[in-house]
Amino acid sequence: MRAPDIDYLARPDGARLALKQVEGDGPVVLWVGGFRSDMEGTKALALDAAARERGWAFVRYDHFAHGQSSGNWRDATVGRWCDDAAALVDHLTGTTGRTVIPVGSSMGGWVALNLTLARPAAVKALLLINPAQDFTERLMWPELPPERQKEVLEHGETVMPDEGLGAYPLTRTMFEEARARMLPEGPLPIRCPVHILQGRQDTSVPWRHQLPLVEALEGADVRLDLIAGGDHRLSGPADLTRMVEAVERLRSI
């Protein structure tokens, strides 16, 4: 296995997705990060370490306008992130017949679900960590104060404070475009095994947000683990062990 030096996937418009790979056997475990997170987070690094120790093939990457990938944040949309994920899977699988196991965290769970709908034959199994499917419409917009909703609707964006990463704009384009990527109503045509890890104390994505998803996955084997005391990050030692063992189980199916 080689060290995970940074590589780039060129996109048709000239943008580049930054990614790091660990060579190994079996399906490619693919880390799909959350909103404004990058591939150097605790969970991504834990999977990287597990891949080296256990001989997994593993890839982690930064979404457009995240981390070391290129892109202007104001041009970022959920659709862009979903299309980029599909292009990355096409690049990783090619004509080899290799499959992937996306591990989607928060918004990355929404992207991973869209990816599975778009490339069903390429996805062996799916691990979702506090997945935030449809979050722009179901979670984010309802929580925005009325004055910020007004700014989005009348001026095209509102600037959100963030002490950790710095202030950032939420655009009307992002909200409007995301509606086309919301999960379809009714049963989802997903047949691969799905494992969901959800913190009961998650205040960003309440655990009940997963119940309609579980119901919609009626054609798949679904496991939902509700973790007592678990928050949105699920990055403590026990959480990381649980995540790695979930991936190991899905690889063996």
Side-chain angles (χ1 to χ4, degrees):
M1 287 182 287
R2 67 177 177 82
D5 299 324
I6 193 162
D7 294 316
Y8 293 92
L9 176 67
R11 301 292 285 123
D13 63 355
R16 299 199 308 167
L17 294 182
L19 60 132
K20 295 185 178 183
Q21 305 184 64
V22 176
E23 294 179 357
D25 298 325
V28 181
V29 179
L30 176 63
W31 173 255
V32 188
F35 187 73
R36 287 176 54 78
S37 68
D38 62 33
M39 62 177 165
E40 304 300 334
T42 304
K43 292 188 289 294
L45 293 179
L47 288 173
D48 188 288
R52 296 166 184 263
E53 294 167 1
R54 301 179 182 220
W56 302 348
F58 174 67
V59 172
R60 51 190 166 111
Y61 75 102
D62 286 332
H63 297 296
F64 175 87
H66 287 65
Q68 299 177 75
S69 292
S70 66
N72 185 311
W73 180 261
R74 284 184 169 85
D75 297 329
T77 61
V78 174
R80 172 75 195 229
W81 297 324
C82 291
D83 290 343
D84 285 346
L88 178 55
V89 166
D90 291 342
H91 171 72
L92 294 173
T93 59
T95 59
T96 65
R98 202 168 200 181
T99 57
V100 298
I101 299 178
V103 181
S105 176
S106 192
M107 182 199 76
W110 186 7
V111 174
L113 285 161
N114 268 294
L115 167 63
T116 306
L117 292 171
R119 300 290 189 274
V123 178
K124 174 181 174 67
L126 192 55
L127 177 61
L128 306 174
I129 304 171
N130 291 328
Q133 59 278 0
D134 305 340
F135 81 94
T136 49
E137 197 81 1
R138 308 290 189 207
L139 300 172
M140 181 179 278
W141 183 259
E143 292 298 317
L144 280 181
E147 62 271 17
R148 291 200 176 276
Q149 291 183 353
K150 183 177 180 181
E151 287 180 359
V152 171
L153 294 173
E154 294 185 359
H155 303 292
E157 69 176 48
T158 187
V159 177
M160 300 295 291
D162 186 331
E163 293 183 3
L165 298 175
Y168 65 97
L170 285 178
T171 67
R172 182 172 60 196
T173 298
M174 189 191 77
F175 283 105
E176 292 176 347
E177 190 274 350
R179 292 178 188 134
R181 300 301 179 126
M182 292 177 66
L183 299 182
E185 297 290 338
L188 291 174
I190 291 176
R191 301 292 178 260
C192 68
V194 181
H195 190 167
I196 304 170
L197 302 176
Q198 173 68 46
R200 278 189 174 272
Q201 304 306 315
D202 186 347
T203 57
S204 297
V205 181
W207 68 267
R208 288 182 176 83
H209 185 68
Q210 310 311 337
L211 300 183
L213 174 61
V214 171
E215 184 176 4
L217 290 167
E218 61 180 33
D221 289 338
V222 183
R223 174 173 170 175
L224 172 61
D225 291 354
L226 296 178
I227 301 162
D231 60 7
H232 188 61
R233 288 179 53 79
L234 285 182
S235 293
D239 300 318
L240 299 178
T241 297
R242 184 184 292 110
M243 174 185 67
V244 169
E245 292 307 320
V247 172
E248 191 68 87
R249 186 183 70 84
L250 292 172
R251 290 181 78 253
S252 68
I253 292 176

